[in-house]
Amino acid sequence: DRSFSHDPSVVSEMGSHFIHALQGKGVAACAKHFPGHGDTHLDSHLSLPTVHHSMERLEQIELEPFAAAITADVAAVMVAHIVAPAFGGEPVPASIDKEVIGYLRHTMGFQGVIATDDMEMGVLHHFAPTRS
């Protein structure tokens, strides 16, 4: 288990405290893996997991800790290599999905650094442009 809890309100509270502690000492905090990787069953280093939840469910559970992190002025958000169809974009990893990035930036109001997970993860080679 790599989260503070399975309860989004606990994750939100603990994450906010952690962000304030890190950034209070000059270390930039990063909230990850947007839009929520905890409910997937595949390893995104090897395959492309899909989060099949509705937007309503995502907003109530998965996105709550990210909203709290943004309120806590987190310096960066890392976007995961997972598919999240509820955002309405193409069936591509969230890390390269303009709908997911747009939601984070415009709907959630995050103005800090947006980063992706490791760009050399195996699943991304399916989405790389071809060279001529």
Side-chain angles (χ1 to χ4, degrees), residues 5 10-11 21 34 37-38 40 44 46 63 73 78 84 86 89-90 102 105 112 117 122 127:
S5 172
V10 172
V11 175
F34 188 85
H37 204 319
T40 61
S44 60
L46 306 172
L63 298 179
D73 292 323
M78 179 190 292
E90 298 294 320
R105 190 64 86 197
D117 208 339
F127 300 96

Side-chain angles (χ1 to χ4, degrees), residues 33-118:
H33 291 86
F34 188 85
H37 204 319
D39 214 11
T40 61
H41 303 288
L42 298 174
D43 181 349
S44 60
H45 293 88
L46 306 172
S47 52
L48 185 59
T50 299
V51 176
H52 294 284
H53 300 308
S54 68
M55 184 55 76
E56 180 180 17
R57 155 63 196 254
L58 289 172
E59 289 173 340
Q60 291 174 352
I61 306 293
E62 284 77 10
L63 298 179
E64 181 183 327
F66 291 101
I70 292 166
T71 298
D73 292 323
V74 70
V77 173
M78 179 190 292
V79 183
H81 300 316
I82 60 172
V83 176
F87 288 89
E90 298 294 320
V92 298
S95 55
I96 59 173
D97 186 337
K98 67 181 179 181
E99 299 299 327
V100 173
I101 304 300
Y103 187 92
L104 175 59
R105 190 64 86 197
H106 304 295
T107 303
M108 297 188 78
F110 181 65
Q111 297 304 310
V113 174
I114 297 176
T116 70
D117 208 339
D118 183 354

